[in-house]
Amino acid sequence: LCVEKIYKPQDMFDLVNVKDGYRYYTNDILSHNCAHVEGIDELWLGLWPTLSCLVGNTKVFTNKGIFAIEDFHKGRSIGEYFEIDGWQVYGKNGLEPLSHGYVSPESDTIKLTTKHGYAVEGTLKHPLWVLDAAGGSMKQIQHIKSGDYLRIQVGMNCYGDQKLNPDLAYTLGGYSAEGCIKKRKRNRSGRVEYCGIQITNSDSEFRDVYLNRAKHTIFGKNFHAYGKHNLTLYSVAVVKKLQNLGLNINELSYNKTVPKIIWTTTKQTQQNYLSGLFDGDGTAYKGIAKIELTSEQMIKDVQLLLLNMGFHPNVNKKIARSKLTNTKSARTTWVLEIPKSESMKFSKEIGFRIQRKQKQMLSVENRKDSDLNRCPILPISKPLNETFYRDWETDRKSTRLNSSHLKLS
């Protein structure tokens, strides 16, 4: 278990169903609203501050797509308890109605990270679902320790209704992988102006989307090739269009995030976005799809998008080293890997448009491999494991489960 205590001042947020009191998923980890947890009920609307909430960038899964928990609390004051109407949040029993929100004062938090890179940050008393011999129960974050197992939900299929042109979604993914915003300084005023975008990639199939298709279906402007690697389009209007899609033009490679609009789009749009991302910065080898980025947040965002679709991606930290001096490089990289057992699913639902990468993904389709039939590891608990393995054997051909318990490292 990687336990990191966070001391920076930050407001905390919670979502509540007053009528039923339900468990809901935060970053795909089963959580609980703090209004209905035995032993701390008296804190709710009684003593202030509330001690059980989550940080603002925590993602929740709803009937309208995936949102940061702070999106429900914009314009609200600390201590405010307010009604929320027309929303459902994905919980232990599927989508459940949401009734209220609450903004807590600043509080210290603890961040938990599992062996496979899933993470959640909350106050010391925020409860999470932990597997035990009886099947599972809620435990406050401060009492969770190394060796515990958290419940991770997979395949919620929570999407929005916004739909982007397939090539636009693909080029957004490509930009997230290989792009940057060009800027220039006006001589007279000295004002810095964002004037265009640049894509750096040498693969002809990847470049073709920008050189030959983007003008007609997306931007209305031509990209120009400079050498074998750089593609550049100069247009202030195009930059503004990308901003309107939720792209943060001030982000650099090490702090990029998934554009905001992607979280509330259809499944097909997200698939096209991920295809562009993996074509740009991903690799495929013997059925394993992998992407390596310097932005930890981007990797975490992609992990959640894939989990929502039913994948089980692993995330690991990689300390980059210089090949010349064998010293640590300036940037740590983060690696997300799709297991070989899901190579066919990845190829069919997302896939690479770059054919040599797609062929590598399909190279294990008719070959048996230990990874294709691997069994998830669970702690020893005879009644629970007998049930789990019986259910797993029934669904062994697909090796996909609706949910899994992943051990904290």
Side-chain angles (χ1 to χ4, degrees), residues 154 309-312 338-346 348-349 371-376 391-403:
V154 180
M309 293 180 185
F311 293 93
H312 298 71
I338 304 291
K340 200 177 298 182
S341 55
E342 295 173 350
S343 59
M344 278 77 82
K345 175 179 170 64
F346 181 88
K348 293 175 182 177
E349 296 186 18
D371 188 57
L372 294 175
N373 297 291
R374 65 180 181 172
C375 178
D391 293 343
W392 179 75
E393 287 289 344
T394 303
D395 194 38
R396 187 171 181 178
K397 290 183 179 180
S398 65
T399 67
R400 294 194 298 271
L401 303 171
N402 291 329
S403 61

Side-chain angles (χ1 to χ4, degrees), residues 79-357:
E80 189 172 353
Y81 178 71
F82 56 94
E83 292 186 2
I84 300 176
D85 188 38
W87 288 80
Q88 293 176 301
V89 174
Y90 197 97
K92 191 170 182 289
N93 300 311
L95 287 169
E96 303 184 43
L98 181 62
S99 64
H100 290 75
Y102 179 73
V103 185
S104 172
E106 296 173 355
S107 179
D108 292 340
T109 63
I110 289 178
K111 182 178 180 181
L112 301 180
T113 305
T114 71
K115 177 180 178 180
H116 296 291
Y118 306 106
V120 66
E121 182 180 344
T123 51
L124 278 62
K125 290 194 175 183
H126 191 88
L128 302 176
W129 186 267
V130 178
L131 182 68
D132 56 31
S137 61
M138 283 291 170
K139 184 184 289 188
Q140 293 178 2
I141 287 180
Q142 63 182 337
H143 299 313
I144 297 175
K145 60 185 184 301
S146 177
D148 284 345
Y149 289 73
L150 295 179
R151 174 165 172 149
I152 307 294
Q153 182 69 15
V154 180
M156 285 106 132
N157 291 304
C158 290
Y159 303 101
D161 57 7
Q162 297 190 75
K163 187 175 183 179
L164 300 183
N165 175 289
D167 283 340
L168 174 56
Y170 179 89
T171 54
L172 280 177
Y175 173 86
S176 293
E178 303 281 38
C180 65
I181 298 294
K182 301 285 288 183
K183 55 186 178 182
R184 63 188 175 198
K185 183 181 288 188
R186 293 291 185 182
N187 291 332
R188 292 184 178 180
S189 64
R191 181 173 60 90
V192 175
E193 179 183 62
Y194 296 98
C195 58
I197 60 176
Q198 179 173 295
I199 306 295
T200 304
N201 192 288
S202 60
D203 192 283
S204 59
E205 292 178 82
F206 183 79
R207 291 161 65 91
D208 178 69
V209 176
Y210 294 89
L211 287 172
N212 299 318
R213 296 166 66 175
K215 177 182 178 181
H216 304 291
T217 61
I218 307 170
F219 303 120
K221 300 280 185 177
N222 281 323
F223 273 87
H224 297 281
Y226 294 90
K228 296 181 179 180
H229 300 282
N230 293 332
L231 303 174
T232 305
L233 184 155
Y234 287 100
S235 170
V236 174
V238 168
V239 174
K240 289 182 178 178
K241 180 175 182 177
L242 294 177
Q243 282 185 286
N244 292 334
L245 293 173
L247 189 73
N248 186 338
I249 61 174
N250 294 309
E251 291 177 342
L252 300 176
S253 61
Y254 64 89
N255 63 356
K256 281 184 178 180
T257 58
V258 167
K260 192 167 184 178
I261 193 173
I262 296 298
W263 297 105
T264 56
T265 55
T266 62
K267 182 177 182 178
Q268 183 181 21
T269 293
Q270 292 184 18
Q271 289 169 331
N272 286 318
Y273 171 81
L274 291 171
S275 180
L277 183 74
F278 274 85
D279 268 358
D281 245 348
T283 58
Y285 179 70
K286 292 185 177 180
I288 297 176
K290 182 166 64 174
I291 188 165
E292 187 171 328
L293 302 170
T294 56
S295 171
E296 179 185 7
Q297 188 57 54
M298 173 65 81
I299 284 288
K300 299 291 186 182
D301 287 351
V302 173
Q303 183 184 40
L304 289 183
L305 291 175
L306 290 166
L307 278 166
N308 191 42
M309 293 180 185
F311 293 93
H312 298 71
N314 299 326
V315 169
N316 294 290
K317 183 178 180 180
K318 179 180 177 181
I319 305 298
R321 306 190 73 87
S322 169
K323 293 181 180 179
L324 295 177
T325 62
N326 196 33
T327 57
K328 291 182 181 179
S329 67
R331 298 286 178 197
T332 296
T333 58
W334 300 85
V335 182
L336 180 146
E337 187 176 285
I338 304 291
K340 200 177 298 182
S341 55
E342 295 173 350
S343 59
M344 278 77 82
K345 175 179 170 64
F346 181 88
S347 298
K348 293 175 182 177
E349 296 186 18
I350 298 173
F352 293 96
R353 290 194 188 182
I354 297 175
Q355 289 305 303
R356 61 180 173 79
K357 293 184 179 181

